[in-house]
Amino acid sequence: MNEPRTTQGAAIIQALRQQLTSQALTGGSKLPAERELADLFDTTRITVKEALHHLEAEGLIYREERRGWFVSRPRLVYNPASRSHFHALVAAQQRVAATRVLSCESVLAPAELVSEMALAPLSRLTRICRLRSIDRRPVLYTEHYLIPEYFPDIGEQDLGQSLTGLYQRRYGLRYGRSRFDICPTAARGEAARSLSLAEGSPVLAITRINYDQQGRIIDCDREIWRHDAVRIRIDSQARAAAS
Amino acid sequence: MNEPRTTQGAAIIQALRQQLTSQALTGGSKLPAERELADLFDTTRITVKEALHHLEAEGLIYREERRGWFVSRPRLVYNPASRSHFHALVAAQQRVAATRVLSCESVLAPAELVSEMALAPLSRLTRICRLRSIDRRPVLYTEHYLIPEYFPDIGEQDLGQSLTGLYQRRYGLRYGRSRFDICPTAARGEAARSLSLAEGSPVLAITRINYDQQGRIIDCDREIWRHDAVRIRIDSQARAAAS
DNA sequence: GAGTGGTCTAGACCACCTT
DNA sequence: AGGTGGTCTAGACCACTCG
C-alpha cells in the first residue's frame, strides 16, 4: 500500500474519523475543546488544530468562530439547474429550512457584473442579501442583483420566500435559460461573517445569470455555500455527439 | 466597513494578494520559501503558513508537497455535462493538456458503487486510473469503473485518449443520460499522491454515472480536481415551472 | 468571569526534492 | 549536501461567546 509513516496528526485524524463515522459522535454535537483534545492525545494545540482542519476539509466537522468544532450533518443534495424552492428542497430531505433577509438596497453594479450582465457602466442594481439555514445552522449566503426596471417596489415584498415564485406572481417574469458557474473558493467579508466562518474558509460559490423567456437578462445571483453542507447533483440528457 | 482589526496574518495575506493580482508574480512562478517569507515579514513560519493556506483556499496559490508554493494559473472552465474531450477543451483555452495512464486492472467493485450502479455484490469492474495535466501541472486524477462485459480487451487499447471516443469507435457504445455529483471534499490516498497534494487538501470530486442510449449503466467515473484548477460552467434550459 | 478558538513566538527534527 | 516543506514542542496573550 505504500502507506506513509503514521504521524501523530494522522493518528488523531484516524481516531476522530472512526468516532465520527461510527456515529459515536452524531450530527450537530460539539467536539471537546482543542486544549482538551491536546491533553487527550498528549500533544499540542497546533497539532490538534491541524488534524481538525483535515477533517474540516473532508466535510466531517465544521467550525463556528470562537464557538468550537461541531459534527457535520449530511450534505443537502442540490440541483442548481432545477428551479425548486429552497424551503421545499430542504423539507423534501427531512430537514428544516429558514431564510433571513439581511438587506435590500440599490447599489452600484459591481465591476465584474457590468460585463457579465452586459450593463451600461455605472448602472445601478437592486441587491438582496439573504442568509439561509438548515436545521438552524446557517449554510448559504445569497446575493441577488436585479435589474431595477423589471422589479418596481421589490423592497415592499416579502423577500423571505422564494424569489423565483415572487418574480412570477408579482412581476410576471419567468425564467428561460440561465448560465451558472460553480467555483470552489474562500469565504470573505460579509459572506464569511454571516456564515460565521473564518476568513479564508473553503466555500462553494455558485454564480448564476438568469434570462427570461425572451432572452433578456433579468437578474444574477451569487450563492456562497459552506463547503461541507452541499452536494451538487445534476441529471443531464444526451447531447450532440462529442466533438 | 466594520473591518476586523488587522492582524499580522491579514497583513501578509494582503501584501501577497496585491503582488499576485498586480501580476508582479505571474502564473506558475514559485514563491519565496516559508522561512524567507517569515524573515521578510518579521514573523514565524507558522504565521506565514497560515496566510499561505488562506491564499491557497482562495485559489490564488497552490502547494506541491515539499517543493514549495506556486502562483496559480487561470482556472479551466469546464462543463461536465458536455461530452467535450479533455484535450480539445484545454486546447480551446490556449493551454496544453497531457494524459498519463496510471493503471488499468480488474478490481472488486467498491461498496459504494455496488449500490450506485445496481451491481450484484462482489461484482468485478475494470478500473482505469489516469492523471491529467494542464501546462505540465497535474490537475485532475480520474478513475473509471467499467462494466467488463461491455468492454472486452479494453486493456489493449490506447487509454491516453478520450475514453468517450474509444467507447464509441471500438465498442459502439454511446452515452445517453448521465447523472453527476459535484462535491467539495479532501484529497486522500492515491489521488492525493498523484496530484502531489498533501492529504486533506481541498479538492472537487465529480462522480458520474453514465447510461447508454438504452438506459443501461455502462460505467462510472470519478474525477478529483485540484480545487483551484477548475470552474464548472453549465448552461441550462428552462424547465417545467417551479413547484 | 470562565471558557473557547484566533493568533503568535522561537525554536526543533524529519522526510523528501533538487542539484 | 543543502534547501524545502511537514510536523511538532511548550508555551503566551487576545477577542469573543456564553452562562
Side-chain angles (χ1 to χ4, degrees), chain B residues 61-112:
Chain B
I61 62 176
Y62 65 93
R63 216 175 352 160
E64 290 191 15
E65 276 260 317
R66 292 191 162 84
R67 295 206 339 104
W69 294 87
F70 301 85
V71 181
S72 298
R73 287 213 163 80
R75 296 171 186 260
L76 183 76
V77 177
Y78 172 50
N79 181 350
S82 95
R83 297 295 181 195
S84 73
H85 301 173
F86 180 75
H87 286 254
L89 179 70
V90 172
Q93 294 179 38
Q94 284 77 52
R95 314 287 286 276
V96 179
T99 298
R100 188 154 64 85
V101 179
L102 302 176
S103 67
C104 172
E105 53 196 351
S106 171
V107 298
L108 209 57
E112 71 274 19

Short mmCIF file of all heavy atoms in Angstrom, two decimals, chain B residues 61-112:
data_model
loop_
_atom_site.label_atom_id
_atom_site.label_comp_id
_atom_site.label_asym_id
_atom_site.label_seq_id
_atom_site.Cartn_x
_atom_site.Cartn_y
_atom_site.Cartn_z
N ILE B 61 -2.85 30.63 -4.96
CA ILE B 61 -1.58 29.90 -4.99
C ILE B 61 -1.85 28.42 -4.71
O ILE B 61 -2.95 28.06 -4.28
CB ILE B 61 -0.59 30.43 -3.93
CG1 ILE B 61 -1.17 30.25 -2.53
CG2 ILE B 61 -0.27 31.90 -4.17
CD1 ILE B 61 -0.21 30.66 -1.43
N TYR B 62 -0.88 27.60 -4.99
CA TYR B 62 -1.03 26.18 -4.65
C TYR B 62 0.31 25.64 -4.17
O TYR B 62 1.35 26.27 -4.31
CB TYR B 62 -1.56 25.38 -5.84
CG TYR B 62 -0.62 25.33 -7.02
CD1 TYR B 62 0.28 24.28 -7.19
CD2 TYR B 62 -0.63 26.33 -7.99
CE1 TYR B 62 1.13 24.24 -8.29
CE2 TYR B 62 0.21 26.30 -9.07
CZ TYR B 62 1.10 25.24 -9.22
OH TYR B 62 1.94 25.20 -10.30
N ARG B 63 0.23 24.46 -3.61
CA ARG B 63 1.37 23.85 -2.98
C ARG B 63 1.76 22.60 -3.74
O ARG B 63 0.89 21.91 -4.26
CB ARG B 63 0.94 23.42 -1.58
CG ARG B 63 1.96 23.56 -0.53
CD ARG B 63 1.41 23.21 0.81
NE ARG B 63 -0.02 22.99 0.91
CZ ARG B 63 -0.57 22.33 1.91
NH1 ARG B 63 0.19 21.82 2.87
NH2 ARG B 63 -1.87 22.17 1.97
N GLU B 64 3.03 22.31 -3.84
CA GLU B 64 3.41 20.96 -4.23
C GLU B 64 4.22 20.39 -3.09
O GLU B 64 5.17 21.03 -2.62
CB GLU B 64 4.19 20.95 -5.54
CG GLU B 64 3.30 21.30 -6.71
CD GLU B 64 3.96 21.06 -8.05
OE1 GLU B 64 5.00 20.37 -8.10
OE2 GLU B 64 3.44 21.58 -9.05
N GLU B 65 3.84 19.21 -2.65
CA GLU B 65 4.44 18.59 -1.48
C GLU B 65 5.95 18.73 -1.47
O GLU B 65 6.65 18.23 -2.35
CB GLU B 65 4.08 17.10 -1.44
CG GLU B 65 2.74 16.81 -0.82
CD GLU B 65 2.88 16.35 0.64
OE1 GLU B 65 3.77 15.53 0.92
OE2 GLU B 65 2.10 16.83 1.46
N ARG B 66 6.43 19.40 -0.47
CA ARG B 66 7.87 19.52 -0.23
C ARG B 66 8.64 20.21 -1.36
O ARG B 66 9.85 20.13 -1.42
CB ARG B 66 8.50 18.15 0.06
CG ARG B 66 8.02 17.60 1.38
CD ARG B 66 8.81 16.39 1.81
NE ARG B 66 8.62 16.17 3.23
CZ ARG B 66 7.59 15.52 3.77
NH1 ARG B 66 6.67 15.02 3.01
NH2 ARG B 66 7.51 15.38 5.07
N ARG B 67 7.90 20.82 -2.28
CA ARG B 67 8.60 21.55 -3.34
C ARG B 67 8.45 23.05 -3.17
O ARG B 67 9.34 23.81 -3.53
CB ARG B 67 8.10 21.11 -4.72
CG ARG B 67 8.42 19.68 -5.04
CD ARG B 67 8.51 19.36 -6.53
NE ARG B 67 7.85 20.29 -7.41
CZ ARG B 67 8.48 21.21 -8.14
NH1 ARG B 67 9.77 21.32 -8.09
NH2 ARG B 67 7.78 22.01 -8.90
N GLY B 68 7.30 23.45 -2.63
CA GLY B 68 7.13 24.88 -2.43
C GLY B 68 5.75 25.36 -2.83
O GLY B 68 4.86 24.57 -3.13
N TRP B 69 5.61 26.67 -2.82
CA TRP B 69 4.34 27.31 -3.17
C TRP B 69 4.48 27.99 -4.53
O TRP B 69 5.51 28.60 -4.82
CB TRP B 69 3.97 28.35 -2.13
CG TRP B 69 3.67 27.77 -0.78
CD1 TRP B 69 4.56 27.51 0.22
CD2 TRP B 69 2.39 27.39 -0.27
NE1 TRP B 69 3.91 26.99 1.30
CE2 TRP B 69 2.57 26.90 1.03
CE3 TRP B 69 1.09 27.41 -0.81
CZ2 TRP B 69 1.53 26.44 1.83
CZ3 TRP B 69 0.05 26.96 -0.02
CH2 TRP B 69 0.26 26.48 1.28
N PHE B 70 3.41 27.90 -5.33
CA PHE B 70 3.45 28.44 -6.68
C PHE B 70 2.21 29.29 -6.94
O PHE B 70 1.19 29.11 -6.29
CB PHE B 70 3.51 27.29 -7.68
CG PHE B 70 4.71 26.40 -7.51
CD1 PHE B 70 4.68 25.36 -6.58
CD2 PHE B 70 5.87 26.62 -8.23
CE1 PHE B 70 5.79 24.55 -6.39
CE2 PHE B 70 6.99 25.82 -8.05
CZ PHE B 70 6.95 24.78 -7.13
N VAL B 71 2.33 30.16 -7.91
CA VAL B 71 1.21 31.02 -8.29
C VAL B 71 0.28 30.25 -9.23
O VAL B 71 0.75 29.64 -10.19
CB VAL B 71 1.73 32.29 -8.98
CG1 VAL B 71 0.56 33.19 -9.36
CG2 VAL B 71 2.71 33.03 -8.09
N SER B 72 -1.00 30.27 -8.93
CA SER B 72 -1.97 29.54 -9.75
C SER B 72 -2.12 30.18 -11.12
O SER B 72 -1.96 31.38 -11.28
CB SER B 72 -3.35 29.53 -9.08
OG SER B 72 -3.30 28.86 -7.85
N ARG B 73 -2.46 29.33 -12.08
CA ARG B 73 -2.84 29.84 -13.40
C ARG B 73 -4.35 29.95 -13.44
O ARG B 73 -5.04 29.43 -12.56
CB ARG B 73 -2.34 28.86 -14.47
CG ARG B 73 -0.84 28.91 -14.66
CD ARG B 73 -0.56 28.62 -16.14
NE ARG B 73 0.79 29.02 -16.52
CZ ARG B 73 1.88 28.29 -16.27
NH1 ARG B 73 1.78 27.15 -15.63
NH2 ARG B 73 3.06 28.70 -16.67
N PRO B 74 -4.90 30.61 -14.47
CA PRO B 74 -6.37 30.72 -14.54
C PRO B 74 -7.03 29.35 -14.50
O PRO B 74 -6.47 28.36 -14.96
CB PRO B 74 -6.59 31.39 -15.91
CG PRO B 74 -5.31 32.09 -16.22
CD PRO B 74 -4.22 31.30 -15.58
N ARG B 75 -8.21 29.30 -13.92
CA ARG B 75 -8.94 28.03 -13.84
C ARG B 75 -9.40 27.59 -15.22
O ARG B 75 -9.76 28.42 -16.06
CB ARG B 75 -10.17 28.20 -12.95
CG ARG B 75 -9.87 28.52 -11.50
CD ARG B 75 -11.15 28.89 -10.78
NE ARG B 75 -10.91 29.34 -9.41
CZ ARG B 75 -11.07 28.57 -8.33
NH1 ARG B 75 -11.47 27.32 -8.47
NH2 ARG B 75 -10.84 29.04 -7.13
N LEU B 76 -9.46 26.30 -15.42
CA LEU B 76 -10.06 25.75 -16.63
C LEU B 76 -11.58 25.85 -16.48
O LEU B 76 -12.13 25.47 -15.45
CB LEU B 76 -9.67 24.28 -16.80
CG LEU B 76 -10.18 23.62 -18.08
CD1 LEU B 76 -9.35 24.10 -19.28
CD2 LEU B 76 -10.12 22.11 -17.99
N VAL B 77 -12.25 26.36 -17.49
CA VAL B 77 -13.71 26.41 -17.46
C VAL B 77 -14.22 25.10 -18.05
O VAL B 77 -13.86 24.73 -19.16
CB VAL B 77 -14.24 27.62 -18.27
CG1 VAL B 77 -15.76 27.62 -18.28
CG2 VAL B 77 -13.71 28.92 -17.67
N TYR B 78 -15.02 24.41 -17.28
CA TYR B 78 -15.34 23.01 -17.60
C TYR B 78 -16.83 22.76 -17.43
O TYR B 78 -17.42 23.13 -16.41
CB TYR B 78 -14.53 22.12 -16.65
CG TYR B 78 -14.85 20.65 -16.69
CD1 TYR B 78 -14.90 19.96 -17.88
CD2 TYR B 78 -15.08 19.95 -15.50
CE1 TYR B 78 -15.18 18.60 -17.91
CE2 TYR B 78 -15.36 18.59 -15.51
CZ TYR B 78 -15.42 17.93 -16.71
OH TYR B 78 -15.69 16.59 -16.72
N ASN B 79 -17.42 22.14 -18.42
CA ASN B 79 -18.82 21.75 -18.33
C ASN B 79 -18.92 20.23 -18.31
O ASN B 79 -18.80 19.59 -19.34
CB ASN B 79 -19.60 22.31 -19.52
CG ASN B 79 -21.07 21.93 -19.43
OD1 ASN B 79 -21.46 21.11 -18.60
ND2 ASN B 79 -21.88 22.53 -20.28
N PRO B 80 -19.15 19.65 -17.14
CA PRO B 80 -19.15 18.19 -17.05
C PRO B 80 -20.34 17.57 -17.77
O PRO B 80 -20.35 16.36 -18.01
CB PRO B 80 -19.22 17.91 -15.55
CG PRO B 80 -19.63 19.17 -14.90
CD PRO B 80 -19.37 20.30 -15.83
N ALA B 81 -21.34 18.38 -18.13
CA ALA B 81 -22.49 17.82 -18.84
C ALA B 81 -22.21 17.71 -20.33
O ALA B 81 -22.83 16.91 -21.02
CB ALA B 81 -23.72 18.69 -18.61
N SER B 82 -21.29 18.49 -20.83
CA SER B 82 -20.96 18.36 -22.24
C SER B 82 -19.98 17.22 -22.39
O SER B 82 -19.27 16.85 -21.46
CB SER B 82 -20.34 19.64 -22.78
OG SER B 82 -18.93 19.56 -22.76
N ARG B 83 -19.92 16.64 -23.54
CA ARG B 83 -19.05 15.49 -23.73
C ARG B 83 -17.74 15.87 -24.39
O ARG B 83 -17.10 15.04 -25.03
CB ARG B 83 -19.76 14.44 -24.60
CG ARG B 83 -21.00 13.90 -23.95
CD ARG B 83 -20.62 13.15 -22.70
NE ARG B 83 -21.80 12.60 -22.06
CZ ARG B 83 -21.78 12.15 -20.81
NH1 ARG B 83 -20.66 12.23 -20.11
NH2 ARG B 83 -22.85 11.64 -20.29
N SER B 84 -17.37 17.12 -24.27
CA SER B 84 -16.17 17.53 -25.00
C SER B 84 -14.95 16.84 -24.40
O SER B 84 -14.89 16.54 -23.22
CB SER B 84 -16.01 19.03 -24.94
OG SER B 84 -15.61 19.43 -23.66
N HIS B 85 -14.01 16.54 -25.25
CA HIS B 85 -12.81 15.82 -24.83
C HIS B 85 -11.88 16.74 -24.08
O HIS B 85 -11.72 17.91 -24.43
CB HIS B 85 -12.11 15.23 -26.05
CG HIS B 85 -12.99 14.30 -26.81
ND1 HIS B 85 -12.64 13.75 -28.01
CD2 HIS B 85 -14.22 13.81 -26.53
CE1 HIS B 85 -13.61 12.97 -28.44
NE2 HIS B 85 -14.58 13.00 -27.56
N PHE B 86 -11.22 16.18 -23.08
CA PHE B 86 -10.32 16.96 -22.24
C PHE B 86 -9.28 17.70 -23.06
O PHE B 86 -9.09 18.90 -22.91
CB PHE B 86 -9.65 16.03 -21.22
CG PHE B 86 -8.69 16.71 -20.30
CD1 PHE B 86 -9.15 17.51 -19.26
CD2 PHE B 86 -7.33 16.56 -20.46
CE1 PHE B 86 -8.26 18.13 -18.40
CE2 PHE B 86 -6.43 17.18 -19.60
CZ PHE B 86 -6.90 17.97 -18.58
N HIS B 87 -8.63 16.99 -23.97
CA HIS B 87 -7.55 17.63 -24.73
C HIS B 87 -8.07 18.78 -25.59
O HIS B 87 -7.46 19.84 -25.68
CB HIS B 87 -6.81 16.60 -25.58
CG HIS B 87 -5.92 15.71 -24.77
ND1 HIS B 87 -4.55 15.81 -24.76
CD2 HIS B 87 -6.22 14.70 -23.92
CE1 HIS B 87 -4.05 14.91 -23.93
NE2 HIS B 87 -5.04 14.21 -23.42
N ALA B 88 -9.24 18.55 -26.19
CA ALA B 88 -9.83 19.60 -27.03
C ALA B 88 -10.23 20.80 -26.18
O ALA B 88 -9.98 21.96 -26.53
CB ALA B 88 -11.04 19.05 -27.78
N LEU B 89 -10.83 20.50 -25.04
CA LEU B 89 -11.28 21.57 -24.15
C LEU B 89 -10.12 22.44 -23.70
O LEU B 89 -10.19 23.67 -23.69
CB LEU B 89 -11.96 20.93 -22.93
CG LEU B 89 -12.49 21.87 -21.87
CD1 LEU B 89 -13.70 22.62 -22.40
CD2 LEU B 89 -12.85 21.12 -20.59
N VAL B 90 -9.04 21.77 -23.30
CA VAL B 90 -7.88 22.50 -22.81
C VAL B 90 -7.25 23.32 -23.93
O VAL B 90 -6.90 24.50 -23.74
CB VAL B 90 -6.86 21.52 -22.19
CG1 VAL B 90 -5.56 22.23 -21.85
CG2 VAL B 90 -7.45 20.86 -20.95
N ALA B 91 -7.15 22.71 -25.10
CA ALA B 91 -6.56 23.42 -26.24
C ALA B 91 -7.38 24.66 -26.59
O ALA B 91 -6.84 25.71 -26.92
CB ALA B 91 -6.44 22.49 -27.44
N ALA B 92 -8.71 24.52 -26.48
CA ALA B 92 -9.58 25.65 -26.83
C ALA B 92 -9.34 26.83 -25.89
O ALA B 92 -9.68 27.95 -26.20
CB ALA B 92 -11.05 25.22 -26.78
N GLN B 93 -8.77 26.54 -24.70
CA GLN B 93 -8.49 27.63 -23.76
C GLN B 93 -7.01 27.99 -23.77
O GLN B 93 -6.49 28.52 -22.79
CB GLN B 93 -9.02 27.26 -22.37
CG GLN B 93 -10.55 27.16 -22.37
CD GLN B 93 -11.16 26.77 -21.03
OE1 GLN B 93 -10.70 27.18 -19.98
NE2 GLN B 93 -12.20 25.96 -21.09
N GLN B 94 -6.37 27.70 -24.89
CA GLN B 94 -4.96 28.08 -25.09
C GLN B 94 -4.04 27.50 -24.03
O GLN B 94 -3.13 28.16 -23.53
CB GLN B 94 -4.77 29.60 -25.14
CG GLN B 94 -5.21 30.24 -26.44
CD GLN B 94 -6.72 30.37 -26.52
OE1 GLN B 94 -7.33 30.91 -25.61
NE2 GLN B 94 -7.31 29.86 -27.59
N ARG B 95 -4.29 26.23 -23.67
CA ARG B 95 -3.44 25.58 -22.68
C ARG B 95 -2.99 24.25 -23.28
O ARG B 95 -3.52 23.80 -24.29
CB ARG B 95 -4.22 25.33 -21.38
CG ARG B 95 -5.03 26.51 -20.88
CD ARG B 95 -4.16 27.60 -20.30
NE ARG B 95 -3.66 27.20 -19.01
CZ ARG B 95 -4.34 27.33 -17.86
NH1 ARG B 95 -5.55 27.84 -17.86
NH2 ARG B 95 -3.81 26.97 -16.72
N VAL B 96 -2.05 23.62 -22.61
CA VAL B 96 -1.52 22.37 -23.14
C VAL B 96 -1.91 21.21 -22.22
O VAL B 96 -1.61 21.23 -21.02
CB VAL B 96 0.01 22.43 -23.27
CG1 VAL B 96 0.56 21.11 -23.79
CG2 VAL B 96 0.41 23.58 -24.19
N ALA B 97 -2.59 20.22 -22.77
CA ALA B 97 -3.07 19.09 -21.98
C ALA B 97 -2.15 17.88 -22.14
O ALA B 97 -1.48 17.73 -23.16
CB ALA B 97 -4.47 18.71 -22.43
N ALA B 98 -2.11 17.04 -21.11
CA ALA B 98 -1.41 15.76 -21.21
C ALA B 98 -2.16 14.75 -20.35
O ALA B 98 -2.80 15.12 -19.36
CB ALA B 98 0.03 15.90 -20.74
N THR B 99 -2.12 13.48 -20.76
CA THR B 99 -2.78 12.42 -20.01
C THR B 99 -1.78 11.30 -19.78
O THR B 99 -1.08 10.90 -20.70
CB THR B 99 -3.98 11.85 -20.80
OG1 THR B 99 -4.93 12.88 -21.01
CG2 THR B 99 -4.62 10.70 -20.04
N ARG B 100 -1.72 10.83 -18.54
CA ARG B 100 -0.85 9.69 -18.25
C ARG B 100 -1.74 8.59 -17.67
O ARG B 100 -2.52 8.83 -16.75
CB ARG B 100 0.23 10.09 -17.24
CG ARG B 100 1.29 9.04 -17.02
CD ARG B 100 2.60 9.68 -16.57
NE ARG B 100 2.49 10.34 -15.28
CZ ARG B 100 2.62 9.70 -14.11
NH1 ARG B 100 2.86 8.42 -14.08
NH2 ARG B 100 2.51 10.37 -12.99
N VAL B 101 -1.63 7.40 -18.23
CA VAL B 101 -2.41 6.27 -17.72
C VAL B 101 -1.64 5.68 -16.54
O VAL B 101 -0.47 5.32 -16.67
CB VAL B 101 -2.62 5.20 -18.80
CG1 VAL B 101 -3.40 4.02 -18.23
CG2 VAL B 101 -3.35 5.81 -19.99
N LEU B 102 -2.27 5.62 -15.39
CA LEU B 102 -1.59 5.10 -14.21
C LEU B 102 -1.78 3.61 -14.07
O LEU B 102 -0.87 2.88 -13.68
CB LEU B 102 -2.12 5.81 -12.95
CG LEU B 102 -1.99 7.33 -12.92
CD1 LEU B 102 -2.63 7.90 -11.67
CD2 LEU B 102 -0.52 7.75 -12.99
N SER B 103 -2.99 3.13 -14.36
CA SER B 103 -3.24 1.70 -14.22
C SER B 103 -4.53 1.33 -14.92
O SER B 103 -5.39 2.17 -15.18
CB SER B 103 -3.33 1.32 -12.74
OG SER B 103 -4.48 1.90 -12.16
N CYS B 104 -4.65 0.06 -15.24
CA CYS B 104 -5.89 -0.49 -15.80
C CYS B 104 -5.96 -1.92 -15.33
O CYS B 104 -5.15 -2.75 -15.74
CB CYS B 104 -5.85 -0.41 -17.33
SG CYS B 104 -7.25 -1.28 -18.11
N GLU B 105 -6.90 -2.20 -14.42
CA GLU B 105 -6.95 -3.55 -13.88
C GLU B 105 -8.36 -3.91 -13.43
O GLU B 105 -9.22 -3.03 -13.30
CB GLU B 105 -5.97 -3.69 -12.71
CG GLU B 105 -6.15 -2.63 -11.66
CD GLU B 105 -4.94 -2.51 -10.72
OE1 GLU B 105 -4.05 -3.38 -10.77
OE2 GLU B 105 -4.92 -1.56 -9.91
N SER B 106 -8.54 -5.18 -13.20
CA SER B 106 -9.83 -5.67 -12.73
C SER B 106 -9.84 -5.61 -11.21
O SER B 106 -8.91 -6.07 -10.56
CB SER B 106 -10.02 -7.11 -13.21
OG SER B 106 -11.16 -7.66 -12.59
N VAL B 107 -10.87 -5.00 -10.66
CA VAL B 107 -10.94 -4.86 -9.20
C VAL B 107 -12.33 -5.26 -8.71
O VAL B 107 -13.30 -5.27 -9.48
CB VAL B 107 -10.66 -3.41 -8.75
CG1 VAL B 107 -9.27 -2.97 -9.13
CG2 VAL B 107 -11.70 -2.45 -9.31
N LEU B 108 -12.40 -5.57 -7.43
CA LEU B 108 -13.69 -5.80 -6.80
C LEU B 108 -14.41 -4.46 -6.73
O LEU B 108 -13.79 -3.44 -6.40
CB LEU B 108 -13.44 -6.35 -5.38
CG LEU B 108 -14.50 -7.26 -4.79
CD1 LEU B 108 -14.72 -8.47 -5.70
CD2 LEU B 108 -14.08 -7.69 -3.40
N ALA B 109 -15.69 -4.45 -7.06
CA ALA B 109 -16.43 -3.18 -7.04
C ALA B 109 -16.43 -2.59 -5.64
O ALA B 109 -16.79 -3.28 -4.68
CB ALA B 109 -17.86 -3.41 -7.51
N PRO B 110 -16.03 -1.33 -5.50
CA PRO B 110 -16.09 -0.69 -4.19
C PRO B 110 -17.54 -0.68 -3.68
O PRO B 110 -18.48 -0.56 -4.46
CB PRO B 110 -15.61 0.74 -4.46
CG PRO B 110 -14.90 0.69 -5.77
CD PRO B 110 -15.53 -0.43 -6.53
N ALA B 111 -17.68 -0.80 -2.38
CA ALA B 111 -19.01 -0.95 -1.77
C ALA B 111 -19.99 0.13 -2.22
O ALA B 111 -21.14 -0.16 -2.57
CB ALA B 111 -18.89 -0.95 -0.24
N GLU B 112 -19.53 1.39 -2.24
CA GLU B 112 -20.49 2.46 -2.55
C GLU B 112 -20.96 2.40 -4.01
O GLU B 112 -22.05 2.84 -4.33
CB GLU B 112 -19.92 3.84 -2.21
CG GLU B 112 -18.81 4.34 -3.11
CD GLU B 112 -17.43 3.85 -2.68
OE1 GLU B 112 -17.36 2.85 -1.92
OE2 GLU B 112 -16.42 4.45 -3.12
#
